[in-house]
Amino acid sequence: MKIFLTLSVLFLSVFAAAAPFGHLENVSTQRAVFLADKLVKKQPITYCLQKGDFETISAPLSDLTRQTQAALNEWTRGVALHIEAAGRSKEFADIIPLLKSAQFTEVPCDLSNHPAAGVFFLARKNAQEADITILVSNNYCEGHFHKTSSFYTEQMSPAKPFICLQTHYASIPNDNENLSQAGLSAEQKNILTDAPKILSRVASGAYTADDQRRLWNLNRLYSYDRPTYLAAVTHEMGHAFGLADEYTGSGVDPLYKTATPVSGIMKRLYDPLGCSEVNGLITLLDRYTHTSRTFTSFCGKDVTFVSGVQKVLKNTPTKLRVRPGLVERWSLTPVSPTAKTMLYESVRQADSLDETTRTAAVSLGVSDEIYSRGAVLPGNLRQGAWLIIARHGKKYKAAQVQYNASGRVAQVRRIQVKPTQAAQYFAEIKAAEKSPLSVDK
C-alpha cells in the first residue's frame, strides 16, 4: 500500500531538487481510480468531506467545504486560467473546454468500506461512497494510521481513494491566530478584507485570473506560521487527479517526469498551483485521451514535451532509488518520447539480486556486486540487449542478456569488458547517490 504524504518538508524545504511534474506510477495500471478518468469522460465527480465526530476541530465545516471546492476548481478551471493567461488558448483549444466544464457534486460520506472508520466517524443519512473522500481528523489520520502528516491513497481496497487531513492547518478566512498584519502593504490588507469574497468566487468556479492571483497571495498570508488547509487539500487533490509529489521520487512514473527544478503546490505548500502543475495536468489528460501533442513547457521554452514525455538531447536521469544493497537510476533518452523506453541502471549486492538479474548473472560466478544496464518499458519491463557486469574484488566478468517482448530472458552470452570501463560504470552509478535528483528510498 502506498500513501502519499504531505510532509513538513513541503513547507520548509527550499533547496531540495524537484521535478516540474510527475505522474503517479499507478496511472499506467489503475487509470480508472484517478479523477482524470472521470474528467476526460465528462462525468460528474463526487466528493465528500467529513470531520472527526469525536474530537474538537475549530474550523467550521463551511470553511473547509469552500476551500475544498476551491481546490477542485483550481485543478480544472484554474489550470484553464493559467493556459489563457499565457496566451495559449488556441494551442490547447481541446483542453480548455474539458477543464471548464468539470462538474463536482458533494455527497454525504459513506465510510463503510474505510478501515476502522466507524470508530472515529458517525454514519450519515443518504450516504454514498464518493469518487474522492476527504476526512479531517487527527484521531483517524494519526491514531489509526499512525501518520503525523496528511496523506492520500488509492490503495486501500475496497475503499475508493481518500484523503486524510490533520486538523492543525490554518483555515481561511477565520483562523487568524497566527496571521500577522504588521508591515502589510495596502494590497495585502485589501486581500485580507476581501478574503471571504475571494474564496467564495473561486469555490463557485466563477472567478478570474486576478481572483486566482489574490487567492494564492491570501494563502501565503495565512501561511505565516504553518500551511493552510487550502494548500494541503489542493496538494492532496493533485494526487487524486493522478499527479505525484515533486519533492521525492516515491511513487513517480520515471517516464512521465522531468528533473528540472521548479516550485509549485506539489512541492511546497506555500507555493501556488503554477506552471509545473499545468504541464502535469495537460500531459496527464493527454495520456487519458491518447492525444499525441508536442508543446513547450509553461515554465520556460527550454523544455519540450512530446506525447507527455520530456524531449532530451542526451541521457537525462529522472529518478533515483537508494536502498541498502541497491542503487537504481532511470534516465530519459533521446528516443524516449517515441519508443516510451528509458535507460535503467543499477548496482546490487549479490544477495539482493532480483530474479531476472540472477538468471543472467549465474553464469558469471559468485560476485560482490552486479551492475546492469538496459532499456525498460513502463512497469520496468526489460527490453532488448542488456549489459550485466559482475564484480569480484577488482575483477570483472560481463554478459549480454537478450530480453524478449515479454521481458523474459531469451539468451545470455559472455562478452569481454575492459576493467577500466567496468569500474567506471560502477563508479558512476554509485556517485548518483549524492546527486540532487529526487530520491525514492
Side-chain angles (χ1 to χ4, degrees):
M1 178 186 69
K2 290 184 179 178
I3 289 178
F4 298 94
L5 302 176
T6 297
L7 299 172
S8 59
V9 294
L10 283 172
F11 184 60
L12 299 174
S13 175
V14 178
F15 302 106
F21 74 84
H23 298 178
L24 288 172
E25 285 180 308
N26 288 343
V27 169
S28 294
T29 57
Q30 301 180 51
R31 296 166 60 93
V33 306
F34 297 103
L35 299 184
D37 185 62
K38 303 208 75 170
L39 188 59
V40 300
K41 292 177 179 176
K42 301 181 180 179
Q43 297 174 349
I45 294 172
T46 58
Y47 72 96
C48 76
L49 171 65
Q50 190 161 336
K51 298 197 297 182
D53 288 293
F54 306 102
E55 58 192 308
T56 300
I57 299 175
S58 60
L61 185 62
S62 58
D63 282 358
L64 302 184
T65 298
R66 278 195 297 176
Q67 291 173 77
T68 300
Q69 291 169 338
L72 286 163
N73 281 320
E74 269 294 83
W75 279 110
T76 50
R77 293 165 179 83
V79 171
L81 287 174
H82 277 286
I83 295 172
E84 291 172 339
R88 302 176 70 172
S89 300
K90 186 175 181 180
E91 183 181 357
F92 297 96
D94 57 328
I95 291 279
I96 290 177
L98 193 63
L99 295 173
K100 288 188 172 181
S101 63
Q103 301 175 52
F104 305 109
T105 303
E106 185 177 10
V107 299
C109 291
D110 178 1
L111 305 179
S112 56
N113 285 327
H114 292 250
V119 178
F120 305 95
F121 303 94
L122 295 173
R124 297 296 193 260
K125 292 182 179 180
N126 303 316
Q128 69 179 77
E129 192 168 31
D131 296 316
I132 184 65
T133 295
I134 304 98
L135 301 174
V136 183
S137 167
N138 282 350
N139 290 345
Y140 193 52
C141 303
E142 186 173 357
H144 178 70
F145 293 103
H146 308 291
K147 301 294 181 184
T148 57
S149 301
S150 300
F151 65 85
Y152 159 87
T153 183
E154 80 281 350
Q155 296 189 34
M156 206 164 287
S157 182
K160 284 189 175 183
F162 67 94
I163 294 167
C164 210
L165 289 174
Q166 302 283 353
T167 64
H168 61 264
Y169 298 109
S171 178
I172 304 171
N174 291 324
D175 190 349
N176 298 320
E177 179 183 352
N178 295 300
L179 179 65
S180 173
Q181 299 194 40
L184 296 185
S185 67
E187 183 186 19
Q188 289 173 322
K189 290 179 180 179
N190 181 262
I191 288 174
L192 285 177
T193 301
D194 287 348
K197 294 180 180 178
I198 295 169
L199 191 59
S200 293
R201 282 197 293 271
V202 178
S204 72
Y207 64 111
T208 66
D210 188 56
D211 290 324
Q212 184 180 56
R213 178 188 64 81
R214 299 178 84 206
L215 173 73
W216 290 105
N217 285 339
L218 178 65
N219 177 73
R220 192 61 180 264
L221 292 173
Y222 274 85
S223 299
Y224 178 76
D225 192 48
R226 55 182 170 167
T228 66
Y229 175 88
L230 170 67
V233 75
T234 302
H235 174 95
E236 301 300 347
M237 207 64 78
H239 294 318
F241 276 95
L243 296 179
D245 290 316
E246 294 176 8
Y247 61 88
T248 176
S250 180
V252 185
D253 187 325
L255 181 64
Y256 294 95
K257 175 193 174 190
T258 63
T260 309
V262 174
S263 298
I265 192 69
M266 297 309 291
K267 177 185 178 183
R268 297 195 299 248
L269 288 187
Y270 55 79
D271 281 329
L273 186 150
C275 62
S276 56
E277 287 78 20
V278 175
N279 288 333
L281 194 65
I282 289 174
T283 54
L284 185 66
L285 296 181
D286 281 351
R287 285 183 70 185
Y288 272 83
T289 56
H290 306 288
T291 299
S292 179
R293 187 196 312 271
T294 298
F295 71 97
T296 58
S297 170
F298 279 78
C299 299
K301 296 182 179 180
D302 57 334
V303 174
T304 300
F305 301 107
V306 180
S307 299
V309 180
Q310 183 183 358
K311 185 178 180 180
V312 297
L313 299 178
K314 60 182 180 179
N315 294 348
T316 305
T318 63
K319 185 174 180 179
L320 183 68
R321 178 179 290 141
V322 180
R323 293 174 181 169
L326 171 66
V327 181
E328 297 178 301
R329 181 171 64 182
W330 290 260
S331 299
L332 291 171
T333 70
V335 300
S336 289
T338 52
K340 292 294 186 288
T341 61
M342 302 196 74
L343 173 64
Y344 170 88
E345 299 169 276
S346 73
V347 169
R348 301 170 184 265
Q349 292 180 358
D351 59 2
S352 67
L353 291 177
D354 60 278
E355 184 177 351
T356 52
T357 306
R358 183 180 292 108
T359 300
V362 68
S363 65
L364 302 178
V366 178
S367 304
D368 296 333
E369 293 179 317
I370 300 293
Y371 171 86
S372 58
R373 175 189 180 95
V376 293
L377 288 171
N380 292 333
L381 190 66
R382 302 185 179 209
Q383 296 289 290
W386 276 57
L387 173 65
I388 307 290
I389 303 175
R391 182 186 69 80
H392 186 66
K394 294 184 178 180
K395 295 182 178 180
Y396 301 92
K397 296 180 181 179
Q400 185 183 76
V401 183
Q402 188 71 35
Y403 290 91
N404 61 25
S406 300
R408 296 181 179 275
V409 177
Q411 183 184 43
V412 179
R413 68 182 182 87
R414 289 285 298 273
I415 61 174
Q416 296 297 315
V417 62
K418 292 181 180 180
T420 53
Q421 179 64 69
Q424 184 177 346
Y425 282 132
F426 279 88
E428 285 180 355
I429 190 66
K430 287 186 175 182
E433 293 185 59
K434 299 180 180 179
S435 77
L437 196 64
S438 53
V439 178
D440 176 2
K441 294 184 177 182

